[in-house]
Amino acid sequence: MESFYIYTVDFKRTDSDIKYKIEGPIHNWHPQAPVLKDCKNNIVSDLEKLLPQIEQKLNIKHQNKKLKWSLNEKSTKLFILVNTNLEEIEKVECYFLYCNQILKIETEVIQKRIKEIISGINSQEQIETYILKKQLALGNLAAKLIKIIKAEDVYELYTYSATFSEQDCLKIIYSYIEKVIRFLEKEYLKYLDKNSPASIKSILNIKIQLEPFYIALQQSCKRSADQKAIRIILHSFSKIAEVDFKQKITYNELLYASEILPIVYQHISNKQKAKKCLKDIMLEFNFNTLEFFDFYTDEINKELNKQEDDIQKYKILYRYLKHTNQKQLYTNNKWNPNLPSAKKQIAGWLEEEIKYLNQQRILESYSTEHSISVEMKTKFHTDLSVPQLSYFFSLLVQAGIIHPPTHRAIFKFIAEHFKTKMTNTISVDSLNTKYYNVETATKSAVREKIIELLNFTKL
């Protein structure tokens, strides 16, 4: 429960000089106070000469301070701890620090209590039920706080102002709720609902982990032969790269991205040694987005369109179907839990294409047989021309000798049962035109035939 302010001095060495930058002060109860656990008390010899100058700048008295050193290959940091009484701190800041300290202690108590309760439960189902209840309650509370805080972006949730406002206190509450969620993720991940939204801190951590792969794939997309496949992958994982409040990102999506992105990057980097194409890797990793389905089936269709023979199309489809069904999936996870697996989607599409080809061949076979049977029908040969035949039937209708249901029925009857010197096939449309537009020569020719008929009645 010590109370002190921390000044951070960051040293940078050059060939000729040593420069430093001072940050702070920040109280040790502040949520963003540096962790001093691994710091040393030993003074760095070549920096000791700068200490009086630094202390003078900060107006620090010798008896009120402690020095802590953090050393690594990249930098040297000095933490100057200046003791202070809580009574000397302004009330607004004191309340802010008090909130953080109380929540920190209570969070440790909650985590300890969860462990104690779970250690007393023997049934795996009861443990899962207990963890899911905690996850749901914490997730709902975190979501409500995000709405109340009204941060512009996710990073603002972890940024505190210098005024120590009520909103800053709400941000502290949110951060400790998230710490309990992160505790559940670390200790009891297998019991969590993987389709529920992941904590923002987890998303940010995965984003940092995957960012090098994501950037490398963006750069390689312009020159890779697998441009379209890479664009589909980048588009699908863009919401992890952007980390937006409005987009739900589940634990399944985070776990899936952590698996597939490094594999895709490795494939692109070692393209010459790669034995598989990228779309096969995406299939094996159950990349079941609709964009990937369209891309994969379009590739098959391109291959089918090059074939003129149905037998070759069958061979291609059956080869892909065998190839797809024999795929061993590397993960039980899938990108979209609401859609069937990529393997099931593509295998189903291939089976439908094969079925369609079969039906098409049956219909074509039936059509050919039917056209042959039509050709084999007996047709009466007539010396009348098509216009004369049409006009003759018109006279039969006018005389009331025949009573067809429609004029078109006459045309179909003539077309199916008559042929002329000029043609074996009479068009229905041609008969329709001639029926209503009778030329004088046609009328004269038919009149002569009718007179011949009348002469036969005198015998």
Side-chain angles (χ1 to χ4, degrees):
M1 298 296 290
E2 288 181 287
S3 173
F4 52 86
Y5 281 102
I6 305 169
Y7 292 90
T8 304
V9 185
D10 195 355
F11 294 95
K12 297 275 180 159
R13 289 182 172 87
T14 62
D15 294 336
S16 59
D17 195 10
I18 299 174
K19 295 182 179 180
Y20 61 85
K21 179 183 177 183
I22 301 173
E23 292 180 358
I26 186 169
H27 197 276
N28 64 302
W29 289 9
H30 194 285
Q32 292 177 331
V35 179
L36 307 174
K37 185 179 177 182
D38 298 324
C39 293
K40 310 294 182 183
N41 295 325
N42 300 335
I43 295 175
V44 179
S45 57
D46 64 334
L47 301 177
E48 188 175 3
K49 61 184 179 181
L50 296 172
L51 294 181
Q53 181 184 337
I54 294 168
E55 290 175 9
Q56 187 179 2
K57 276 189 177 182
L58 299 175
N59 193 23
I60 297 171
K61 295 179 182 178
H62 177 75
Q63 62 270 22
N64 290 337
K65 74 174 189 304
K66 289 181 185 176
L67 302 180
K68 297 282 184 181
W69 295 85
S70 173
L71 310 173
N72 58 51
E73 294 178 0
K74 294 183 179 179
S75 66
T76 300
K77 287 187 179 181
L78 167 63
F79 300 102
I80 304 174
L81 284 50
V82 181
N83 292 328
T84 184
N85 294 322
L86 292 175
E87 291 82 3
E88 298 172 5
I89 302 173
E90 290 185 13
K91 286 185 179 180
V92 177
E93 182 181 356
C94 197
Y95 180 75
F96 174 82
L97 298 173
Y98 171 78
C99 284
N100 182 62
Q101 198 70 357
I102 290 298
L103 286 165
K104 181 180 179 182
I105 294 166
E106 286 300 313
T107 300
E108 291 170 359
V109 172
I110 290 168
Q111 291 175 357
K112 186 179 178 183
R113 181 63 180 152
I114 289 172
K115 279 190 172 183
E116 287 174 355
I117 291 171
I118 288 178
S119 65
I121 301 175
N122 296 322
S123 166
Q124 294 289 316
E125 290 181 0
Q126 289 179 333
I127 293 174
E128 184 176 0
T129 302
Y130 176 79
I131 293 297
L132 287 175
K133 283 182 179 178
K134 292 292 179 191
Q135 180 191 7
L136 181 61
L138 290 164
N140 288 339
L141 186 53
K144 286 178 183 177
L145 275 169
I146 287 173
K147 287 182 180 179
I148 296 169
I149 294 168
K150 296 179 180 177
E152 292 291 328
D153 55 48
V154 292
Y155 299 100
E156 195 181 327
L157 279 174
Y158 308 100
T159 305
Y160 301 96
S161 70
T163 59
F164 308 106
S165 64
E166 289 183 5
Q167 191 180 43
D168 291 316
C169 293
L170 290 173
K171 288 179 182 179
I172 295 176
I173 297 170
Y174 174 81
S175 69
Y176 280 105
I177 289 170
E178 200 171 54
K179 279 185 181 179
V180 181
I181 296 172
R182 296 274 292 154
F183 164 76
L184 294 179
E185 292 171 6
K186 183 181 176 183
E187 300 290 334
Y188 308 105
L189 182 63
K190 68 177 181 178
Y191 299 112
L192 294 179
D193 177 11
K194 307 297 191 308
N195 290 321
S196 65
S199 66
I200 292 175
K201 203 73 173 178
S202 296
I203 298 168
L204 289 172
N205 287 344
I206 294 295
K207 177 192 174 182
I208 293 167
Q209 175 190 329
L210 297 179
E211 207 157 30
F213 302 115
Y214 192 86
I215 293 169
L217 287 174
Q218 280 182 317
Q219 293 170 348
S220 64
C221 183
K222 298 174 184 177
R223 58 180 184 273
S224 174
D226 295 311
Q227 282 184 22
K228 195 166 183 179
I230 295 172
R231 277 199 297 269
I232 291 169
I233 292 170
L234 291 174
H235 174 71
S236 299
F237 292 111
S238 60
K239 64 179 181 179
I240 296 175
E242 292 164 4
V243 195
D244 188 352
F245 282 130
K246 297 175 184 178
Q247 298 196 69
K248 172 186 168 184
I249 301 174
T250 65
Y251 288 104
N252 268 335
E253 288 172 330
L254 289 182
L255 292 168
Y256 186 89
S258 300
E259 284 186 81
I260 192 171
L261 277 182
I263 296 292
V264 172
Y265 169 74
Q266 188 178 6
H267 171 82
I268 298 299
S269 301
N270 302 318
K271 186 66 178 174
Q272 292 180 347
K273 299 178 183 177
K275 295 180 181 178
K276 297 178 182 177
C277 59
L278 183 54
K279 67 179 183 181
D280 283 341
I281 292 174
M282 293 166 76
L283 181 60
E284 288 169 353
F285 271 87
N286 208 352
F287 196 80
N288 66 330
T289 66
L290 295 177
E291 290 84 359
F292 174 63
F293 171 80
D294 290 340
F295 164 69
Y296 198 98
T297 52
D298 283 348
E299 292 292 304
I300 299 172
N301 275 326
K302 285 176 186 176
E303 199 170 337
L304 291 174
N305 291 336
K306 293 176 183 177
Q307 311 302 321
E308 296 180 359
D309 185 359
D310 281 351
I311 300 299
Q312 294 303 318
K313 291 181 180 179
Y314 275 117
K315 285 181 179 179
I316 291 168
L317 288 169
Y318 275 113
R319 187 182 78 240
Y320 271 105
L321 183 61
K322 174 178 176 290
H323 177 74
T324 303
N325 285 332
Q326 290 180 344
K327 278 288 177 193
Q328 297 297 317
L329 301 183
Y330 288 152
T331 176
N332 292 323
N333 197 5
K334 54 186 178 182
W335 176 242
N336 190 336
N338 299 318
L339 292 175
S341 69
K343 183 175 174 178
K344 189 173 181 180
Q345 287 182 42
I346 292 165
W349 181 85
L350 289 165
E351 288 168 0
E352 286 293 323
E353 287 297 304
I354 292 168
K355 184 179 177 182
Y356 172 75
L357 260 184
N358 279 330
Q359 290 175 338
Q360 196 175 35
R361 292 193 72 185
I362 291 168
L363 287 171
E364 285 176 358
S365 174
Y366 170 77
S367 177
T368 304
E369 290 173 4
H370 182 68
S371 63
I372 291 170
S373 66
V374 169
E375 286 296 323
M376 291 176 68
K377 276 185 179 180
T378 302
K379 287 188 177 184
F380 293 102
H381 177 79
T382 175
D383 287 337
L384 295 176
S385 66
V386 172
Q388 291 167 2
L389 193 60
S390 175
Y391 179 60
F392 180 73
F393 271 83
S394 171
L395 294 174
L396 292 176
V397 173
Q398 291 175 47
I401 297 172
I402 60 174
H403 302 278
T406 62
H407 287 162
R408 193 161 186 83
I410 300 172
F411 309 147
K412 287 181 72 175
F413 177 82
I414 297 170
E416 288 177 5
H417 295 91
F418 288 90
K419 57 183 178 179
T420 68
K421 288 181 181 179
M422 301 300 295
T423 179
N424 290 330
T425 305
I426 301 173
S427 166
V428 171
D429 291 332
S430 175
L431 288 165
N432 182 53
T433 304
K434 304 295 189 291
Y435 189 91
Y436 295 106
N437 299 289
V438 185
E439 295 178 356
T440 304
T442 301
K443 288 181 179 181
S444 298
V446 172
R447 187 184 299 112
E448 288 178 7
K449 289 291 182 183
I450 293 172
I451 290 169
E452 285 182 23
L453 289 172
L454 287 172
N455 290 332
F456 285 130
T457 61
K458 295 179 182 179
L459 297 176

